[in-house]
Amino acid sequence: MRTVLRAQAAEARLVLGLCWALLLLGVGSAWSQLGSAEGEPFAGRLATALLASAGAVLFARLQLSVSRGGAALGRRWLAPLVMATSLAPLLWGSASPMLVVAWAAALLQRDLRRSLVASGLLLAVLVWVFPRSRLAAMGTFADLFFELLLYTVVLVTATRLAVLLDELRLTREVLARRRVDAERELTSGPVVTRLDEELETCRMLCERVQIELAVDVRREPPGEQAALVAQVVRESVTDLLGHSRATRCRIVLDRDDSATVVTVTNDGSVLREEPPASRPAGQLARAVVAAGGSIGTEHASGGLATRTVRLPIRSEVPA
């Protein structure tokens, strides 16, 4: 969780921090009820406070799971578990201050159908439990519904805003890079320069957006392929920055007697197999095919995506 949080833009971290401050107020309210001598037994108040604490941590993880690089945090059981910890106090009639995160968790799921089903089930549970719990002493069901709706909108909107702010930061970085590229076609000719310079540029750019980049040059490509390999590296990393939420990227350069292989792996799982021809990645595909090579993408569990480019090495035919 810490790694994913550090990968977000500073503005996104600020918004998430404000959300968590609001959650801490709810947790503090639950713990403050331990000293009350009225109402439910001490064991019930303690269970409510513990569940509120667990629900806050789980909801923070759910928020990060929809952020850049957080796909691996988004387990299928996460949202149901957040809802369960928030609704459990209703079993012994307690009105948990963390009830609001149950609805927010339902709406933050990646699948829209699951969000709607979870929201419907949540409302059904509240309608059934309301007259049988201490919630009825706090006002009408309409009062409870609109209060939950207000705080849910705040949490969900803040989470989406944090994601948007982070994506805008990445977009600015990519646009700045493309602007530099354009100035190089206008002034010095080809965009791609030396392979070692391109690897260093990618390293610095990933560092600026807090993406951990590992480069493994096992065997360097032949001199006549260096420019094309540099283009493969450049366009793969640029595509990664513009269309994924990765926090880690690995570039491996290797070759044998027949081909040079470039492998780019990231944990954002958004590299595409067949990009439109109008995009730089489409131009890259044409360049690779023109050289007799191949390009493909594989997606694996945990949000991993791997782009593999093979470039045949032309053997010299003796005269």
Side-chain angles (χ1 to χ4, degrees):
M1 290 177 59
R2 182 181 301 178
T3 301
V4 177
L5 178 61
R6 289 173 56 188
Q8 309 308 306
E11 301 87 346
R13 292 198 299 268
L14 176 60
V15 173
L16 290 174
L18 293 175
C19 284
W20 297 341
L22 182 62
L23 295 179
L24 285 177
L25 289 177
V27 173
S29 174
W31 283 99
S32 67
Q33 299 299 317
L34 288 181
S36 175
E38 300 178 356
E40 64 187 286
F42 177 80
R45 298 196 300 272
L46 178 60
T48 298
L50 291 174
L51 288 171
S53 301
V57 174
L58 291 170
F59 183 75
R61 172 171 174 153
L62 180 63
Q63 288 182 299
L64 291 176
S65 73
V66 299
S67 303
R68 176 167 55 93
L73 299 175
R75 307 299 186 186
R76 293 179 64 89
W77 47 260
L78 184 55
L81 186 57
V82 174
M83 297 175 65
T85 56
S86 302
L87 294 173
L90 295 177
L91 296 176
W92 52 86
S94 177
S96 172
M98 300 300 290
L99 189 60
V100 63
V101 304
W103 200 353
L107 294 177
L108 282 177
Q109 296 184 81
R110 296 179 181 273
D111 185 85
L112 178 59
R113 180 180 300 177
R114 292 177 61 189
S115 294
L116 294 177
V117 171
S119 298
L121 290 175
L122 174 62
L123 289 178
V125 169
L126 290 178
V127 169
W128 183 79
V129 170
F130 181 79
R132 299 169 176 81
S133 69
R134 293 188 177 88
L135 293 173
M138 302 172 61
T140 65
F141 181 80
D143 295 333
L144 172 67
F145 175 80
F146 284 112
E147 184 176 357
L148 287 178
L149 179 62
L150 174 62
Y151 285 107
T152 298
V153 168
V154 170
L155 287 178
V156 173
T157 302
T159 304
R160 298 301 185 191
L161 177 61
V163 173
L164 177 60
L165 289 172
D166 185 63
E167 290 179 346
L168 286 175
R169 179 193 179 190
L170 277 180
T171 300
R172 289 197 300 268
E173 294 288 345
V174 173
L175 288 177
R177 188 175 194 189
R178 295 200 186 281
R179 186 160 54 247
V180 171
D181 288 349
E183 291 174 356
R184 287 182 180 179
E185 291 164 353
L186 292 176
T187 57
S188 58
V191 172
V192 178
T193 55
R194 293 172 48 184
L195 176 59
D196 57 347
E197 293 177 353
E198 191 56 53
L199 289 172
E200 183 61 26
T201 299
C202 291
R203 190 189 307 276
M204 291 188 296
L205 183 58
C206 287
E207 182 178 352
R208 286 173 63 187
V209 295
Q210 296 180 321
I211 293 178
E212 180 183 340
L213 176 65
V215 178
D216 184 4
V217 182
R218 299 173 182 174
R219 293 187 65 186
E220 294 188 355
E224 64 273 13
Q225 285 186 338
L228 181 54
V229 171
Q231 183 182 358
V232 169
V233 170
R234 181 180 191 85
E235 299 300 348
S236 296
V237 172
T238 300
D239 194 48
L240 162 70
L241 295 175
H243 303 286
S244 81
R245 296 175 178 173
T247 59
R248 294 187 302 275
C249 178
R250 179 179 175 84
I251 300 174
V252 178
L253 304 181
D254 200 0
R255 70 180 175 93
D256 53 26
D257 293 336
S258 61
T260 296
V261 181
V262 183
T263 306
V264 181
T265 304
N266 77 90
D267 61 352
S269 189
V270 187
L271 290 177
R272 292 161 299 177
E273 183 73 34
E274 297 180 355
S278 61
R279 300 190 64 85
Q283 300 172 18
L284 170 64
R286 291 197 298 271
V288 170
V289 172
S294 62
I295 180 171
T297 303
E298 295 181 359
H299 296 267
S301 59
L304 292 178
T306 301
R307 171 175 288 167
T308 303
V309 177
R310 295 184 60 87
L311 300 171
I313 298 176
R314 303 182 184 278
S315 58
E316 296 185 0
V317 179

